[in-house]
Amino acid sequence: MVTSIMNLGRSGVSDWLIQRVSAVILALYTIFIVAFLLFHSDLDYSAWSSLFAQTWMKVFTLLALLSVAAHAWVGLWIVATDYIKPANIRIATLTVVILALFVFVVWGVQVLWGA
């Protein structure tokens, strides 16, 4: 079996599972946020801040953030390997994607767990 160093899951089944699990996590997070917004019509900064001050919400948000990154990586890796045929352009594109996702995750963690 040939594996690629640029592949997150190392196999099609792993990539499929990452996509499905991350999609479920993102769907649950979206449903929760929408429900919170609908049931808190008088939402202000203190209510929003108190929600995100709770550890379980920080963990849930971190899980959603990591799910976005994993979901995006697998999806963009598949698109890049299917449609960008020159290896040097594909590697450059995927390197930019990796860097962007890394910055996104680090920044999100700083916002979420920072002071």
Side-chain angles (χ1 to χ4, degrees), residues 18-91:
I18 289 168
Q19 285 289 91
R20 294 330 175 257
V21 170
S22 63
V24 168
I25 292 169
L26 292 171
L28 291 173
Y29 189 78
T30 301
I31 290 167
F32 175 79
I33 293 294
V34 169
F36 184 81
L37 292 173
L38 289 175
F39 292 120
H40 290 85
S41 59
D42 58 341
L43 186 65
D44 59 356
Y45 177 78
S46 63
W48 193 251
S49 180
S50 66
L51 173 66
F52 280 91
Q54 299 177 35
T55 303
W56 67 268
M57 187 60 188
K58 287 183 179 184
V59 170
F60 192 27
T61 303
L62 180 63
L63 191 59
L65 179 70
L66 294 174
S67 294
V68 167
H71 197 91
W73 170 250
V74 172
L76 290 171
W77 179 85
I78 290 169
V79 169
T81 56
D82 283 350
Y83 295 106
I84 304 175
K85 297 302 177 189
N88 55 351
I89 296 172
R90 183 175 59 244
I91 290 171

